[in-house]
Amino acid sequence: MAATQEEIVSGLAEIVNEIAGIPAEDVELDKSFTDDLDVDSLSMVEVVVAAEEKFNVKIPDDDVKNLKTVKDAADYILAHQG
Amino acid sequence: MTAKIKPAKGAPYARILGVGGYRPTRVVPNEEILKHIDSSDEWIRSRSGIATRHWAGPDETVAEMSLEASGKAVADAGISPDQINAVVISTVSHFKQTPSIATEIADRLGAGRAAAFDINAGCAGFGYGLTLAKGMVTEGSAEHVLVLGTERLSDLTDLTDRSTAFLFGDGAGAVVVGPSEEPGIGPSIWGSEGDKRDVIAQTVPWDAYRDGEVEKFPAIRQEGQTVFRWAVFEMAKVAQEALDAAGVGPEDLDVFIPHQANLRIVDSMVKTLRLPESVAVARDVESTGNTSAASIPLAMERMLATGQAKSGDTALVIGFGAGLVYAATVVTLP
């Protein structure tokens, strides 16, 4: 069953916490991965790959650069999840 | 008529008998790179783990560095140079393409009329050479093979490219592969993904520069995020295949020597492979930078010299880079 936006944000929070050590509660829709959450470009790749597995979605490299905020990522996953 | 052809008689198995390296004398700290790019020591260290690299001086040519590393590897193997029957050199930064640098090294090392040729397999060059050498020794066309990775990547670095200016280093690393009664080099898991050939590449062909189509001398550029994803996740699968093919479990492994591309890649591969803490991991990139085909033998030599690894240890080696190409295998350290 497809995940809701709320479930996706909560899942992303777990992933960001594990990869970058950011408290899960800081991962909110309007936060920027690089500017607010200190997720650099390489950690972002790890976040994306973990999100692909968790939500059964493919996120090509060309699309990764468009995922600036948690909302961008959640919306992308919501639209593309299998 | 079809005559019966007598095959060559090779050794039962092959192993690495000796290793040697050469690092240029000039150590270049991040501060020096920062004269050319808008970045910081903290940024470079956090993205790559690199604090210093060695850059070759005018006298430290590809040939001179290669000769130094080769001499050490031959001495470490306990053989004399005239026992080398083949010289295989991987390089992308020897600017005189013909003849191969391998012929010069064979001659100046004293390897007589050894078969000699260069290969171009980027950062997987050491693994490609090792695979060829293992085949030659067990098939019988050579008893001892010198495999060498040698690079002056500072010559192919665009100092104004803030994503690569800090990355590359110079150096040469060599091993001697020879006969063994026990398997000392496992099955090679190697291949190419040519559909990704633009991900790491020379900016323009030499003739584009010659013909004035571009002002800047060619350099190596890469798409960092794409390389990172491929290296960490796809190459971890290749590394696992090499372990499985060799019948070596994580608990049997002593040492992990991945191509020293970037410390973040090394650390993420360790995590993805779930290697136990008992495995010693090469992190030579911190002080040597990315030396492409030279990085694995250079790291191997340093780990043995510093006691992080010892002779007889079981090591997983994996190279990956421009092509994209890769080669992984399990070896017994010399």
Side-chain angles (χ1 to χ4, degrees):
Chain A
M1 203 179 94
T4 64
Q5 191 194 57
E6 198 179 336
E7 287 165 343
I8 292 168
V9 172
S10 150
L12 284 172
E14 278 175 36
I15 290 169
V16 170
N17 174 257
E18 195 191 317
I19 288 165
I22 309 295
E25 58 269 26
D26 289 358
V27 180
E28 297 166 332
L29 274 180
D30 60 339
K31 294 282 175 71
S32 152
F33 286 106
T34 46
D35 299 337
D36 301 322
L37 299 174
D38 212 20
V39 175
D40 70 22
S41 63
L42 300 184
S43 294
M44 190 62 198
V45 173
E46 295 183 274
V47 168
V48 162
V49 171
E52 284 186 338
E53 280 180 21
K54 197 176 189 94
F55 300 112
N56 189 26
V57 60
K58 280 271 164 238
I59 311 177
D61 291 323
D62 284 346
D63 291 340
V64 173
K65 59 180 177 296
N66 300 324
L67 309 181
K68 308 274 189 223
T69 65
V70 175
K71 184 174 186 305
D72 293 339
D75 287 349
Y76 188 97
I77 293 164
L78 206 53
H80 293 86
Q81 62 187 341
Chain B
M1 67 177 275
T2 306
K4 189 172 166 58
I5 298 172
K6 198 169 83 174
K9 192 174 183 320
Y13 303 105
R15 64 167 291 168
I16 300 174
L17 299 174
V19 60
Y22 180 80
R23 290 174 169 80
T25 48
R26 189 161 87 89
V27 175
V28 178
N30 288 342
E31 288 69 31
E32 192 172 329
I33 308 291
L34 295 172
K35 291 175 189 163
H36 308 278
I37 52 170
D38 177 22
S39 189
S40 69
D41 179 50
E42 193 275 333
W43 191 94
I44 294 172
R45 285 177 195 247
S46 72
R47 283 352 182 255
S48 70
I50 299 170
T52 59
R53 74 287 289 145
H54 297 253
W55 279 358
D59 297 336
E60 291 167 315
T61 61
V62 171
E64 295 308 322
M65 294 194 297
S66 303
L67 203 58
E68 287 285 333
S70 302
K72 288 184 195 170
V74 169
D76 190 46
I79 63 168
S80 62
D82 61 6
Q83 289 177 274
I84 298 285
N85 314 111
V87 176
V88 182
I89 297 187
S90 184
T91 181
V92 298
S93 50
H94 179 235
F95 287 170
K96 188 172 176 181
Q97 265 173 312
T98 306
S100 72
I101 185 72
T103 56
E104 179 178 341
I105 300 309
D107 175 51
R108 292 178 62 197
L109 185 66
R113 297 174 63 171
F117 58 98
D118 297 351
I119 57 174
N120 178 342
C123 303
F126 177 73
Y128 270 57
L130 199 60
T131 303
L132 294 176
K134 175 183 63 177
M136 290 184 219
V137 169
T138 55
E139 178 269 338
S141 52
E143 189 180 2
H144 297 102
V145 183
L146 179 75
V147 177
L148 184 124
T150 182
E151 301 291 4
R152 265 179 68 114
L153 294 181
S154 58
D155 289 338
L156 285 172
T157 297
D158 176 358
L159 280 174
T160 64
D161 178 349
R162 67 188 300 274
S163 66
T164 57
F166 57 86
L167 199 57
F168 300 118
D170 302 336
V175 298
V176 172
V177 176
S180 172
E181 290 303 316
E182 297 291 328
I185 303 173
S188 298
I189 306 298
W190 62 339
S192 69
E193 296 181 40
D195 59 323
K196 300 185 181 72
R197 59 191 174 276
D198 294 330
V199 170
I200 308 170
Q202 186 171 314
T203 45
V204 293
W206 300 115
D207 53 2
Y209 179 70
R210 179 198 63 195
D211 297 343
E213 291 170 28
V214 292
E215 281 182 16
K216 269 189 179 175
F217 191 73
I220 297 169
R221 50 149 287 281
Q222 65 172 11
E223 293 166 26
Q225 279 186 318
T226 304
V227 173
F228 183 80
R229 186 199 283 224
W230 178 75
V232 171
F233 298 99
E234 299 308 315
M235 291 304 98
K237 292 177 200 161
V238 169
Q240 186 61 53
E241 275 184 61
L243 284 173
D244 295 344
V248 171
E251 69 285 356
D252 304 319
L253 195 65
D254 301 306
V255 183
F256 178 45
I257 313 178
H259 163 50
Q260 300 292 290
N262 172 322
L263 193 64
R264 293 280 292 276
I265 291 178
V266 173
D267 288 339
S268 295
M269 282 182 96
V270 168
K271 205 165 68 178
T272 307
L273 280 166
R274 294 188 171 87
L275 293 182
E277 281 186 18
S278 57
V279 175
V281 178
R283 293 191 168 86
D284 194 37
V285 67
E286 291 170 313
S287 60
T288 307
N290 177 341
T291 57
S292 188
S295 84
I296 292 174
L298 277 172
M300 186 185 290
E301 186 207 37
R302 180 156 280 177
M303 291 183 90
L304 288 164
T306 56
Q308 285 175 278
K310 59 183 191 304
S311 176
D313 276 357
T314 301
L316 169 63
V317 298
I318 177 167
F320 45 85
L324 296 171
V325 291
Y326 57 85
T329 188
V330 176
V331 301
T332 306
L333 291 181

